Amino acid sequence: MTDTGRFLTALRRAIRGLFGASTGSSTRADASGRGSVASVRTSISTGLLSPGQAGPSATVEVDPKGLRGVDLSYAPSPDGQPDPGEIVWTWVPYEERDGRGKDRPVVVVAASGRDTFLAVQLTSKAHEGSRDFVALGAGAWDAAGRPSWANIDRVFEVHSGGMRREAASLDSERYLKVAKALNARYGWR
């Protein structure tokens, strides 16, 4: 294939990805349940990896029940770094753990290391009455003004280099709702 052909193929995949259409590539899980190397190579060939999608700054799901000494303290600061209480965008793997995922907002709930933070994902899909979701209402993180819910059932480790941007901050009252739910479920303070 010529360089022009490779460029047009990559551009076509990128455009399909932006508009939600299938890129034509399939993702198969390997024996560990993660996406195959081929699926990562397909994404790399487009040149459109999202921050947090791969490499040392990849966003990964962690077992919240195994975490001890988590300090839940509200500390947003518009400094370009994730801080507890802020909403940032990062790659979030799907629950199927098959290598797929999407760029989405997460609430940073705690620092867990020098450049590592714990976060829970946000969704605009209604989850009234579910103990796995904390209702947050609408906020500046959603341009459409839709109400959001924080999913406390899945916790992610986010790296400074694996986030796209600071979207907004929760006010202290809403952060406290999330922190209380995490404390009740996992014993975090």
Side-chain angles (χ1 to χ4, degrees), residues 17-173:
L18 288 172
F19 293 101
S22 170
T23 62
S25 64
S26 63
T27 305
R28 282 172 251 160
D30 62 15
S32 72
R34 294 183 173 152
S36 67
V37 173
S39 67
V40 173
R41 284 191 189 126
T42 299
S43 296
I44 292 170
S45 71
T46 65
L48 294 176
L49 280 178
S50 293
Q53 187 173 353
S57 63
T59 298
V60 295
E61 188 171 357
V62 295
D63 178 8
K65 294 173 186 153
L67 299 173
R68 300 287 175 247
V70 176
D71 179 26
L72 298 169
S73 58
Y74 183 70
S77 172
D79 58 2
Q81 296 297 315
D83 299 301
E86 293 178 352
I87 296 168
V88 299
W89 286 76
T90 188
W91 178 263
V92 174
Y94 290 149
E95 290 182 61
E96 293 81 9
R97 295 179 181 93
D98 61 4
R100 296 177 303 140
K102 75 183 213 182
D103 198 41
R104 63 181 311 133
V106 298
V107 177
V108 176
V109 295
S112 67
R114 185 167 178 245
D115 283 328
T116 334
F117 305 86
L118 298 176
V120 296
Q121 73 184 44
L122 291 182
T123 182
S124 58
K125 182 179 175 185
H127 288 278
E128 282 99 5
S130 173
R131 68 180 219 97
D132 293 337
F133 292 84
V134 176
L136 298 176
W141 56 87
D142 187 290
R146 298 172 296 186
S148 294
W149 283 259
N151 180 352
I152 63 164
D153 192 47
R154 296 183 74 207
V155 177
F156 299 92
E157 187 176 73
V158 179
H159 301 269
S160 298
M163 66 170 220
R164 186 164 48 108
R165 64 183 169 93
E166 291 174 296
S169 294
L170 292 178
D171 55 61
S172 59
E173 185 178 312

